[in-house]
Amino acid sequence: MTIPVASRATYLNCAFKPGYWSGDVAPTSFYDPVNFTKLEITSQTQESDDLVSNIEGSIGENLASVQRPTESAKLSAELNYMSPQMFALLIGADLSEVAQTTGDITDEAVTLAVGLWVPLANKYLSSTGMTLKTAADATVDPTHYAVDTINGLIKALDSTGATGTKFSYSKAARKVEMHKAGKAKSAYVMLVGTGTEKVSQKRCRIVVHKASLAGSGVFDPVTGKYVSGTLEGKLITPSTETSPWQYESLDLDA
């Protein structure tokens, strides 16, 4: 293959699959492509280190000048469609799966007040089979109280509802994708990308070998829009590579 010498434009459409390093061990599997709306790779920052002449006739002129790296290459990404693992990194969370089995709770003691939500001992409740009783075992009509079955909360709607002291209900079987968020989390991520260069209509490949990424920016669940966020971090050159990332232009038609 002879590399062409003519100038050309580059216009890319890409898809990147993330994989996670385990210490010094490269990823052995990758997740589905992430919808990146920005994937900005910044080259090393360099500044000149000048040797300025103090010799008569050339005072103030450079006798030598070299570029000295001051900051390594880095990556800044914005994304809004991703796997749960990437979402956990985005919001700084420990990710786990929690399973709740069914179970009947009989006469759990509650102290109710009109208009206030009171926590129960469990959450993720079944919406059927709930009974509120007074201390004298009289059943309180459901129109006098409300239950938040997901959070496990009960509220007396009036003074009649507030007479309830014993609540019976059932836990529902639930699998929960648990994100314990707001922590200082980071991960070594490898991005394996394919793309189409639209001008030449040729395929390409882009690989970010190892990026130390952490979530940055804000998480706002009430905007009424798709949840998005940012990841930032420095690029690392693994011992098996000679650069932090690479771009490969193929002779394969799109």
Side-chain angles (χ1 to χ4, degrees), residues 44-97:
Q44 289 190 18
T45 301
Q46 302 183 68
E47 64 179 28
S48 62
D49 193 349
D50 303 329
L51 179 62
V52 180
S53 172
N54 197 35
I55 303 170
E56 182 182 12
S58 63
I59 291 177
E61 299 173 9
N62 283 338
L63 298 176
S65 181
V66 298
Q67 292 294 323
R68 179 172 59 89
T70 59
E71 187 175 354
S72 60
K74 59 185 179 181
L75 183 147
S76 177
E78 295 177 358
L79 56 162
N80 56 19
Y81 184 86
M82 69 212 81
S83 68
Q85 291 75 13
M86 185 67 81
F87 184 71
L89 178 60
L90 191 72
I91 62 175
D94 289 323
L95 176 62
S96 62
E97 184 175 290

mmCIF file of all heavy atoms in Angstrom, residues 44-97:
data_model
loop_
_atom_site.group_PDB
_atom_site.id
_atom_site.type_symbol
_atom_site.label_atom_id
_atom_site.label_comp_id
_atom_site.label_asym_id
_atom_site.label_seq_id
_atom_site.Cartn_x
_atom_site.Cartn_y
_atom_site.Cartn_z
ATOM 1 N N GLN A 44 -0.956 15.814 23.619
ATOM 2 C CA GLN A 44 -0.075 16.331 24.671
ATOM 3 C C GLN A 44 0.092 17.842 24.555
ATOM 4 O O GLN A 44 0.205 18.385 23.456
ATOM 5 C CB GLN A 44 1.307 15.680 24.586
ATOM 6 C CG GLN A 44 1.354 14.227 24.994
ATOM 7 C CD GLN A 44 2.775 13.725 25.105
ATOM 8 O OE1 GLN A 44 3.730 14.515 25.210
ATOM 9 N NE2 GLN A 44 2.955 12.416 25.086
ATOM 10 N N THR A 45 0.085 18.488 25.705
ATOM 11 C CA THR A 45 0.382 19.917 25.742
ATOM 12 C C THR A 45 1.891 20.096 25.843
ATOM 13 O O THR A 45 2.546 19.462 26.680
ATOM 14 C CB THR A 45 -0.300 20.587 26.949
ATOM 15 O OG1 THR A 45 -1.715 20.395 26.847
ATOM 16 C CG2 THR A 45 0.006 22.078 26.980
ATOM 17 N N GLN A 46 2.442 20.938 24.961
ATOM 18 C CA GLN A 46 3.876 21.201 24.965
ATOM 19 C C GLN A 46 4.121 22.709 25.006
ATOM 20 O O GLN A 46 3.300 23.496 24.538
ATOM 21 C CB GLN A 46 4.546 20.606 23.723
ATOM 22 C CG GLN A 46 4.347 19.108 23.571
ATOM 23 C CD GLN A 46 5.089 18.549 22.382
ATOM 24 O OE1 GLN A 46 6.320 18.510 22.367
ATOM 25 N NE2 GLN A 46 4.347 18.128 21.369
ATOM 26 N N GLU A 47 5.221 23.067 25.585
ATOM 27 C CA GLU A 47 5.628 24.473 25.575
ATOM 28 C C GLU A 47 7.110 24.547 25.236
ATOM 29 O O GLU A 47 7.870 23.608 25.501
ATOM 30 C CB GLU A 47 5.340 25.149 26.907
ATOM 31 C CG GLU A 47 6.102 24.603 28.088
ATOM 32 C CD GLU A 47 5.787 25.330 29.387
ATOM 33 O OE1 GLU A 47 4.678 25.865 29.514
ATOM 34 O OE2 GLU A 47 6.666 25.339 30.278
ATOM 35 N N SER A 48 7.490 25.657 24.643
ATOM 36 C CA SER A 48 8.883 25.786 24.208
ATOM 37 C C SER A 48 9.806 26.092 25.384
ATOM 38 O O SER A 48 9.442 26.830 26.310
ATOM 39 C CB SER A 48 8.998 26.897 23.160
ATOM 40 O OG SER A 48 8.624 28.148 23.708
ATOM 41 N N ASP A 49 10.955 25.480 25.357
ATOM 42 C CA ASP A 49 12.015 25.754 26.326
ATOM 43 C C ASP A 49 13.154 26.398 25.537
ATOM 44 O O ASP A 49 13.855 25.734 24.767
ATOM 45 C CB ASP A 49 12.463 24.454 26.984
ATOM 46 C CG ASP A 49 13.334 24.713 28.214
ATOM 47 O OD1 ASP A 49 13.753 25.873 28.419
ATOM 48 O OD2 ASP A 49 13.597 23.751 28.955
ATOM 49 N N ASP A 50 13.294 27.708 25.691
ATOM 50 C CA ASP A 50 14.189 28.488 24.843
ATOM 51 C C ASP A 50 15.514 28.780 25.530
ATOM 52 O O ASP A 50 15.571 29.013 26.745
ATOM 53 C CB ASP A 50 13.526 29.818 24.454
ATOM 54 C CG ASP A 50 12.187 29.614 23.752
ATOM 55 O OD1 ASP A 50 12.033 28.595 23.063
ATOM 56 O OD2 ASP A 50 11.300 30.476 23.920
ATOM 57 N N LEU A 51 16.575 28.771 24.722
ATOM 58 C CA LEU A 51 17.884 29.222 25.177
ATOM 59 C C LEU A 51 18.121 30.587 24.523
ATOM 60 O O LEU A 51 18.366 30.675 23.318
ATOM 61 C CB LEU A 51 18.980 28.233 24.780
ATOM 62 C CG LEU A 51 20.415 28.611 25.178
ATOM 63 C CD1 LEU A 51 20.542 28.698 26.694
ATOM 64 C CD2 LEU A 51 21.408 27.613 24.609
ATOM 65 N N VAL A 52 17.983 31.627 25.335
ATOM 66 C CA VAL A 52 18.027 33.000 24.808
ATOM 67 C C VAL A 52 19.453 33.527 24.865
ATOM 68 O O VAL A 52 20.156 33.370 25.877
ATOM 69 C CB VAL A 52 17.075 33.906 25.605
ATOM 70 C CG1 VAL A 52 17.110 35.330 25.061
ATOM 71 C CG2 VAL A 52 15.653 33.346 25.564
ATOM 72 N N SER A 53 19.856 34.136 23.785
ATOM 73 C CA SER A 53 21.228 34.659 23.678
ATOM 74 C C SER A 53 21.424 35.885 24.569
ATOM 75 O O SER A 53 20.552 36.740 24.682
ATOM 76 C CB SER A 53 21.519 35.044 22.226
ATOM 77 O OG SER A 53 22.760 35.726 22.142
ATOM 78 N N ASN A 54 22.585 35.897 25.195
ATOM 79 C CA ASN A 54 23.036 37.094 25.913
ATOM 80 C C ASN A 54 24.356 37.586 25.311
ATOM 81 O O ASN A 54 25.150 38.250 25.958
ATOM 82 C CB ASN A 54 23.217 36.774 27.404
ATOM 83 C CG ASN A 54 23.271 38.026 28.247
ATOM 84 O OD1 ASN A 54 22.595 39.026 27.960
ATOM 85 N ND2 ASN A 54 24.096 38.019 29.304
ATOM 86 N N ILE A 55 24.559 37.202 24.047
ATOM 87 C CA ILE A 55 25.794 37.544 23.338
ATOM 88 C C ILE A 55 25.582 38.829 22.553
ATOM 89 O O ILE A 55 24.553 38.995 21.875
ATOM 90 C CB ILE A 55 26.193 36.394 22.382
ATOM 91 C CG1 ILE A 55 26.342 35.074 23.166
ATOM 92 C CG2 ILE A 55 27.460 36.725 21.627
ATOM 93 C CD1 ILE A 55 26.505 33.867 22.278
ATOM 94 N N GLU A 56 26.573 39.706 22.619
ATOM 95 C CA GLU A 56 26.487 40.953 21.858
ATOM 96 C C GLU A 56 26.246 40.649 20.386
ATOM 97 O O GLU A 56 26.891 39.789 19.783
ATOM 98 C CB GLU A 56 27.795 41.744 22.020
ATOM 99 C CG GLU A 56 27.764 43.084 21.294
ATOM 100 C CD GLU A 56 29.077 43.845 21.419
ATOM 101 O OE1 GLU A 56 30.075 43.244 21.862
ATOM 102 O OE2 GLU A 56 29.085 45.017 21.070
ATOM 103 N N GLY A 57 25.296 41.350 19.826
ATOM 104 C CA GLY A 57 24.958 41.160 18.423
ATOM 105 C C GLY A 57 23.752 40.255 18.203
ATOM 106 O O GLY A 57 23.129 40.298 17.141
ATOM 107 N N SER A 58 23.424 39.411 19.207
ATOM 108 C CA SER A 58 22.247 38.539 19.063
ATOM 109 C C SER A 58 21.439 38.461 20.356
ATOM 110 O O SER A 58 20.681 37.514 20.563
ATOM 111 C CB SER A 58 22.677 37.126 18.648
ATOM 112 O OG SER A 58 23.481 36.527 19.655
ATOM 113 N N ILE A 59 21.634 39.465 21.217
ATOM 114 C CA ILE A 59 20.942 39.452 22.503
ATOM 115 C C ILE A 59 19.424 39.376 22.287
ATOM 116 O O ILE A 59 18.857 40.099 21.472
ATOM 117 C CB ILE A 59 21.303 40.716 23.316
ATOM 118 C CG1 ILE A 59 22.783 40.645 23.756
ATOM 119 C CG2 ILE A 59 20.406 40.862 24.533
ATOM 120 C CD1 ILE A 59 23.256 41.864 24.495
ATOM 121 N N GLY A 60 18.808 38.488 23.052
ATOM 122 C CA GLY A 60 17.354 38.320 22.977
ATOM 123 C C GLY A 60 16.886 37.332 21.938
ATOM 124 O O GLY A 60 15.702 36.973 21.906
ATOM 125 N N GLU A 61 17.793 36.891 21.063
ATOM 126 C CA GLU A 61 17.410 35.903 20.058
ATOM 127 C C GLU A 61 17.615 34.487 20.611
ATOM 128 O O GLU A 61 18.427 34.268 21.509
ATOM 129 C CB GLU A 61 18.251 36.098 18.790
ATOM 130 C CG GLU A 61 18.069 37.466 18.143
ATOM 131 C CD GLU A 61 19.028 37.696 16.983
ATOM 132 O OE1 GLU A 61 19.703 36.733 16.583
ATOM 133 O OE2 GLU A 61 19.108 38.853 16.507
ATOM 134 N N ASN A 62 16.871 33.557 20.058
ATOM 135 C CA ASN A 62 17.000 32.169 20.507
ATOM 136 C C ASN A 62 18.216 31.508 19.877
ATOM 137 O O ASN A 62 18.377 31.510 18.657
ATOM 138 C CB ASN A 62 15.750 31.356 20.139
ATOM 139 C CG ASN A 62 14.586 31.642 21.066
ATOM 140 O OD1 ASN A 62 14.767 32.110 22.183
ATOM 141 N ND2 ASN A 62 13.378 31.348 20.607
ATOM 142 N N LEU A 63 19.055 30.946 20.735
ATOM 143 C CA LEU A 63 20.149 30.116 20.252
ATOM 144 C C LEU A 63 19.671 28.682 20.017
ATOM 145 O O LEU A 63 20.225 27.975 19.179
ATOM 146 C CB LEU A 63 21.299 30.121 21.257
ATOM 147 C CG LEU A 63 21.949 31.488 21.524
ATOM 148 C CD1 LEU A 63 22.992 31.360 22.615
ATOM 149 C CD2 LEU A 63 22.555 32.051 20.246
ATOM 150 N N ALA A 64 18.633 28.292 20.746
ATOM 151 C CA ALA A 64 18.036 26.967 20.584
ATOM 152 C C ALA A 64 16.625 27.005 21.168
ATOM 153 O O ALA A 64 16.328 27.829 22.039
ATOM 154 C CB ALA A 64 18.866 25.890 21.273
ATOM 155 N N SER A 65 15.783 26.159 20.685
ATOM 156 C CA SER A 65 14.418 26.055 21.206
ATOM 157 C C SER A 65 13.918 24.632 21.010
ATOM 158 O O SER A 65 14.018 24.089 19.902
ATOM 159 C CB SER A 65 13.484 27.041 20.495
ATOM 160 O OG SER A 65 12.168 26.955 21.008
ATOM 161 N N VAL A 66 13.429 24.021 22.092
ATOM 162 C CA VAL A 66 12.859 22.678 22.016
ATOM 163 C C VAL A 66 11.463 22.697 22.634
ATOM 164 O O VAL A 66 11.158 23.535 23.487
ATOM 165 C CB VAL A 66 13.740 21.633 22.740
ATOM 166 C CG1 VAL A 66 15.110 21.533 22.089
ATOM 167 C CG2 VAL A 66 13.886 21.975 24.225
ATOM 168 N N GLN A 67 10.622 21.776 22.172
ATOM 169 C CA GLN A 67 9.299 21.632 22.750
ATOM 170 C C GLN A 67 9.349 20.623 23.895
ATOM 171 O O GLN A 67 9.849 19.507 23.735
ATOM 172 C CB GLN A 67 8.304 21.177 21.687
ATOM 173 C CG GLN A 67 8.021 22.219 20.617
ATOM 174 C CD GLN A 67 7.305 23.439 21.168
ATOM 175 O OE1 GLN A 67 6.443 23.328 22.049
ATOM 176 N NE2 GLN A 67 7.681 24.619 20.673
ATOM 177 N N ARG A 68 8.843 21.035 25.039
ATOM 178 C CA ARG A 68 8.870 20.193 26.238
ATOM 179 C C ARG A 68 7.441 19.832 26.643
ATOM 180 O O ARG A 68 6.622 20.718 26.886
ATOM 181 C CB ARG A 68 9.569 20.945 27.371
ATOM 182 C CG ARG A 68 9.648 20.200 28.690
ATOM 183 C CD ARG A 68 10.536 20.945 29.675
ATOM 184 N NE ARG A 68 10.046 22.287 29.931
ATOM 185 C CZ ARG A 68 9.159 22.595 30.895
ATOM 186 N NH1 ARG A 68 8.662 21.631 31.656
ATOM 187 N NH2 ARG A 68 8.776 23.835 31.085
ATOM 188 N N PRO A 69 7.106 18.527 26.698
ATOM 189 C CA PRO A 69 5.752 18.133 27.110
ATOM 190 C C PRO A 69 5.466 18.570 28.542
ATOM 191 O O PRO A 69 6.304 18.404 29.438
ATOM 192 C CB PRO A 69 5.776 16.603 27.005
ATOM 193 C CG PRO A 69 6.912 16.297 26.088
ATOM 194 C CD PRO A 69 7.936 17.362 26.350
ATOM 195 N N THR A 70 4.288 19.144 28.741
ATOM 196 C CA THR A 70 3.886 19.586 30.081
ATOM 197 C C THR A 70 2.644 18.871 30.585
ATOM 198 O O THR A 70 2.381 18.877 31.787
ATOM 199 C CB THR A 70 3.620 21.095 30.095
ATOM 200 O OG1 THR A 70 2.582 21.404 29.148
ATOM 201 C CG2 THR A 70 4.873 21.876 29.742
ATOM 202 N N GLU A 71 1.862 18.279 29.681
ATOM 203 C CA GLU A 71 0.652 17.554 30.093
ATOM 204 C C GLU A 71 0.376 16.443 29.079
ATOM 205 O O GLU A 71 0.476 16.656 27.870
ATOM 206 C CB GLU A 71 -0.546 18.498 30.181
ATOM 207 C CG GLU A 71 -1.789 17.858 30.765
ATOM 208 C CD GLU A 71 -2.926 18.851 30.944
ATOM 209 O OE1 GLU A 71 -2.719 20.053 30.729
ATOM 210 O OE2 GLU A 71 -4.035 18.394 31.300
ATOM 211 N N SER A 72 0.028 15.267 29.596
ATOM 212 C CA SER A 72 -0.196 14.122 28.712
ATOM 213 C C SER A 72 -1.522 14.251 27.962
ATOM 214 O O SER A 72 -2.368 15.088 28.292
ATOM 215 C CB SER A 72 -0.191 12.826 29.523
ATOM 216 O OG SER A 72 -1.220 12.850 30.498
ATOM 217 N N ALA A 73 -1.704 13.406 26.957
ATOM 218 C CA ALA A 73 -2.940 13.397 26.184
ATOM 219 C C ALA A 73 -4.118 13.029 27.085
ATOM 220 O O ALA A 73 -3.972 12.278 28.057
ATOM 221 C CB ALA A 73 -2.826 12.419 25.024
ATOM 222 N N LYS A 74 -5.294 13.547 26.765
ATOM 223 C CA LYS A 74 -6.467 13.292 27.595
ATOM 224 C C LYS A 74 -7.704 13.118 26.727
ATOM 225 O O LYS A 74 -7.706 13.449 25.536
ATOM 226 C CB LYS A 74 -6.683 14.422 28.600
ATOM 227 C CG LYS A 74 -6.880 15.794 27.982
ATOM 228 C CD LYS A 74 -6.970 16.870 29.057
ATOM 229 C CE LYS A 74 -7.143 18.256 28.444
ATOM 230 N NZ LYS A 74 -7.208 19.316 29.484
ATOM 231 N N LEU A 75 -8.751 12.601 27.345
ATOM 232 C CA LEU A 75 -10.009 12.346 26.649
ATOM 233 C C LEU A 75 -11.152 12.982 27.420
ATOM 234 O O LEU A 75 -11.202 12.910 28.656
ATOM 235 C CB LEU A 75 -10.229 10.834 26.507
ATOM 236 C CG LEU A 75 -11.456 10.353 25.739
ATOM 237 C CD1 LEU A 75 -11.138 9.049 25.005
ATOM 238 C CD2 LEU A 75 -12.638 10.119 26.670
ATOM 239 N N SER A 76 -12.061 13.606 26.691
ATOM 240 C CA SER A 76 -13.271 14.176 27.278
ATOM 241 C C SER A 76 -14.458 13.708 26.448
ATOM 242 O O SER A 76 -14.485 13.911 25.230
ATOM 243 C CB SER A 76 -13.202 15.702 27.302
ATOM 244 O OG SER A 76 -14.404 16.259 27.820
ATOM 245 N N ALA A 77 -15.422 13.054 27.095
ATOM 246 C CA ALA A 77 -16.538 12.454 26.367
ATOM 247 C C ALA A 77 -17.872 12.874 26.954
ATOM 248 O O ALA A 77 -17.996 13.096 28.170
ATOM 249 C CB ALA A 77 -16.425 10.932 26.397
ATOM 250 N N GLU A 78 -18.867 13.002 26.082
ATOM 251 C CA GLU A 78 -20.250 13.187 26.489
ATOM 252 C C GLU A 78 -21.053 12.033 25.921
ATOM 253 O O GLU A 78 -20.848 11.628 24.769
ATOM 254 C CB GLU A 78 -20.800 14.523 25.980
ATOM 255 C CG GLU A 78 -20.107 15.732 26.579
ATOM 256 C CD GLU A 78 -20.614 17.047 26.006
ATOM 257 O OE1 GLU A 78 -21.497 17.013 25.105
ATOM 258 O OE2 GLU A 78 -20.144 18.106 26.452
ATOM 259 N N LEU A 79 -21.979 11.484 26.701
ATOM 260 C CA LEU A 79 -22.704 10.297 26.284
ATOM 261 C C LEU A 79 -24.102 10.270 26.891
ATOM 262 O O LEU A 79 -24.343 10.861 27.940
ATOM 263 C CB LEU A 79 -21.935 9.030 26.672
ATOM 264 C CG LEU A 79 -21.555 8.832 28.148
ATOM 265 C CD1 LEU A 79 -21.217 7.365 28.403
ATOM 266 C CD2 LEU A 79 -20.349 9.680 28.547
ATOM 267 N N ASN A 80 -25.022 9.580 26.205
ATOM 268 C CA ASN A 80 -26.404 9.528 26.685
ATOM 269 C C ASN A 80 -27.083 8.181 26.438
ATOM 270 O O ASN A 80 -28.299 8.062 26.605
ATOM 271 C CB ASN A 80 -27.235 10.660 26.055
ATOM 272 C CG ASN A 80 -27.210 10.644 24.535
ATOM 273 O OD1 ASN A 80 -26.876 9.628 23.926
ATOM 274 N ND2 ASN A 80 -27.555 11.761 23.925
ATOM 275 N N TYR A 81 -26.319 7.160 26.042
ATOM 276 C CA TYR A 81 -26.870 5.816 25.807
ATOM 277 C C TYR A 81 -25.735 4.845 26.050
ATOM 278 O O TYR A 81 -24.727 4.887 25.333
ATOM 279 C CB TYR A 81 -27.385 5.723 24.367
ATOM 280 C CG TYR A 81 -28.062 4.429 23.992
ATOM 281 C CD1 TYR A 81 -29.414 4.235 24.242
ATOM 282 C CD2 TYR A 81 -27.347 3.414 23.358
ATOM 283 C CE1 TYR A 81 -30.045 3.060 23.864
ATOM 284 C CE2 TYR A 81 -27.973 2.232 22.980
ATOM 285 C CZ TYR A 81 -29.324 2.060 23.238
ATOM 286 O OH TYR A 81 -29.939 0.891 22.863
ATOM 287 N N MET A 82 -25.889 3.963 27.070
ATOM 288 C CA MET A 82 -24.728 3.187 27.513
ATOM 289 C C MET A 82 -25.184 1.979 28.315
ATOM 290 O O MET A 82 -26.353 1.883 28.722
ATOM 291 C CB MET A 82 -23.817 4.081 28.356
ATOM 292 C CG MET A 82 -24.415 4.463 29.705
ATOM 293 S SD MET A 82 -23.941 6.089 30.319
ATOM 294 C CE MET A 82 -25.059 7.152 29.392
ATOM 295 N N SER A 83 -24.256 1.082 28.618
ATOM 296 C CA SER A 83 -24.532 -0.071 29.465
ATOM 297 C C SER A 83 -24.635 0.375 30.925
ATOM 298 O O SER A 83 -24.166 1.460 31.295
ATOM 299 C CB SER A 83 -23.406 -1.101 29.328
ATOM 300 O OG SER A 83 -22.203 -0.578 29.890
ATOM 301 N N PRO A 84 -25.253 -0.450 31.797
ATOM 302 C CA PRO A 84 -25.302 -0.111 33.222
ATOM 303 C C PRO A 84 -23.920 0.099 33.824
ATOM 304 O O PRO A 84 -23.752 0.925 34.732
ATOM 305 C CB PRO A 84 -26.006 -1.321 33.847
ATOM 306 C CG PRO A 84 -26.843 -1.875 32.750
ATOM 307 C CD PRO A 84 -26.030 -1.668 31.491
ATOM 308 N N GLN A 85 -22.915 -0.618 33.336
ATOM 309 C CA GLN A 85 -21.560 -0.476 33.869
ATOM 310 C C GLN A 85 -21.002 0.923 33.578
ATOM 311 O O GLN A 85 -20.367 1.541 34.435
ATOM 312 C CB GLN A 85 -20.646 -1.555 33.276
ATOM 313 C CG GLN A 85 -20.945 -2.971 33.742
ATOM 314 C CD GLN A 85 -22.188 -3.576 33.096
ATOM 315 O OE1 GLN A 85 -22.709 -3.037 32.115
ATOM 316 N NE2 GLN A 85 -22.652 -4.681 33.640
ATOM 317 N N MET A 86 -21.237 1.422 32.360
ATOM 318 C CA MET A 86 -20.776 2.754 32.018
ATOM 319 C C MET A 86 -21.585 3.819 32.746
ATOM 320 O O MET A 86 -21.054 4.850 33.167
ATOM 321 C CB MET A 86 -20.863 2.965 30.501
ATOM 322 C CG MET A 86 -20.286 4.280 30.000
ATOM 323 S SD MET A 86 -18.487 4.400 30.196
ATOM 324 C CE MET A 86 -17.930 3.476 28.771
ATOM 325 N N PHE A 87 -22.888 3.565 32.918
ATOM 326 C CA PHE A 87 -23.730 4.495 33.663
ATOM 327 C C PHE A 87 -23.254 4.608 35.112
ATOM 328 O O PHE A 87 -23.234 5.697 35.693
ATOM 329 C CB PHE A 87 -25.188 4.032 33.620
ATOM 330 C CG PHE A 87 -26.155 4.974 34.276
ATOM 331 C CD1 PHE A 87 -26.468 6.189 33.697
ATOM 332 C CD2 PHE A 87 -26.757 4.642 35.489
ATOM 333 C CE1 PHE A 87 -27.359 7.064 34.305
ATOM 334 C CE2 PHE A 87 -27.642 5.503 36.097
ATOM 335 C CZ PHE A 87 -27.953 6.713 35.509
ATOM 336 N N ALA A 88 -22.844 3.478 35.694
ATOM 337 C CA ALA A 88 -22.326 3.503 37.065
ATOM 338 C C ALA A 88 -21.067 4.353 37.158
ATOM 339 O O ALA A 88 -20.885 5.121 38.113
ATOM 340 C CB ALA A 88 -22.043 2.074 37.535
ATOM 341 N N LEU A 89 -20.185 4.230 36.163
ATOM 342 C CA LEU A 89 -18.978 5.053 36.153
ATOM 343 C C LEU A 89 -19.343 6.524 36.017
ATOM 344 O O LEU A 89 -18.732 7.395 36.651
ATOM 345 C CB LEU A 89 -18.066 4.616 35.003
ATOM 346 C CG LEU A 89 -16.767 5.393 34.795
ATOM 347 C CD1 LEU A 89 -15.882 5.320 36.042
ATOM 348 C CD2 LEU A 89 -16.017 4.872 33.579
ATOM 349 N N LEU A 90 -20.353 6.800 35.210
ATOM 350 C CA LEU A 90 -20.768 8.176 34.961
ATOM 351 C C LEU A 90 -21.229 8.875 36.236
ATOM 352 O O LEU A 90 -20.918 10.049 36.461
ATOM 353 C CB LEU A 90 -21.896 8.181 33.924
ATOM 354 C CG LEU A 90 -22.301 9.506 33.321
ATOM 355 C CD1 LEU A 90 -21.232 10.015 32.369
ATOM 356 C CD2 LEU A 90 -23.623 9.368 32.588
ATOM 357 N N ILE A 91 -21.968 8.163 37.083
ATOM 358 C CA ILE A 91 -22.524 8.784 38.291
ATOM 359 C C ILE A 91 -21.724 8.427 39.547
ATOM 360 O O ILE A 91 -22.145 8.735 40.661
ATOM 361 C CB ILE A 91 -24.002 8.412 38.481
ATOM 362 C CG1 ILE A 91 -24.181 6.909 38.658
ATOM 363 C CG2 ILE A 91 -24.837 8.912 37.309
ATOM 364 C CD1 ILE A 91 -25.623 6.485 38.961
ATOM 365 N N GLY A 92 -20.564 7.783 39.365
ATOM 366 C CA GLY A 92 -19.716 7.454 40.503
ATOM 367 C C GLY A 92 -20.366 6.447 41.435
ATOM 368 O O GLY A 92 -20.538 6.725 42.626
ATOM 369 N N ALA A 93 -20.732 5.279 40.894
ATOM 370 C CA ALA A 93 -21.516 4.321 41.675
ATOM 371 C C ALA A 93 -20.869 2.952 41.729
ATOM 372 O O ALA A 93 -20.191 2.526 40.796
ATOM 373 C CB ALA A 93 -22.923 4.192 41.085
ATOM 374 N N ASP A 94 -21.114 2.249 42.848
ATOM 375 C CA ASP A 94 -20.874 0.816 42.926
ATOM 376 C C ASP A 94 -22.119 0.129 42.380
ATOM 377 O O ASP A 94 -23.241 0.406 42.822
ATOM 378 C CB ASP A 94 -20.637 0.375 44.373
ATOM 379 C CG ASP A 94 -19.297 0.858 44.909
ATOM 380 O OD1 ASP A 94 -18.322 0.871 44.134
ATOM 381 O OD2 ASP A 94 -19.236 1.231 46.092
ATOM 382 N N LEU A 95 -21.936 -0.770 41.420
ATOM 383 C CA LEU A 95 -23.052 -1.434 40.755
ATOM 384 C C LEU A 95 -23.206 -2.857 41.282
ATOM 385 O O LEU A 95 -22.234 -3.603 41.377
ATOM 386 C CB LEU A 95 -22.813 -1.463 39.242
ATOM 387 C CG LEU A 95 -23.833 -2.214 38.390
ATOM 388 C CD1 LEU A 95 -25.210 -1.591 38.489
ATOM 389 C CD2 LEU A 95 -23.360 -2.258 36.936
ATOM 390 N N SER A 96 -24.437 -3.216 41.636
ATOM 391 C CA SER A 96 -24.712 -4.578 42.088
ATOM 392 C C SER A 96 -26.152 -4.922 41.728
ATOM 393 O O SER A 96 -26.959 -4.057 41.394
ATOM 394 C CB SER A 96 -24.501 -4.716 43.601
ATOM 395 O OG SER A 96 -25.398 -3.872 44.315
ATOM 396 N N GLU A 97 -26.460 -6.208 41.794
ATOM 397 C CA GLU A 97 -27.835 -6.666 41.587
ATOM 398 C C GLU A 97 -28.381 -7.179 42.900
ATOM 399 O O GLU A 97 -27.761 -8.013 43.560
ATOM 400 C CB GLU A 97 -27.894 -7.761 40.524
ATOM 401 C CG GLU A 97 -29.316 -8.216 40.206
ATOM 402 C CD GLU A 97 -29.385 -9.217 39.079
ATOM 403 O OE1 GLU A 97 -29.137 -8.829 37.924
ATOM 404 O OE2 GLU A 97 -29.673 -10.398 39.361
#
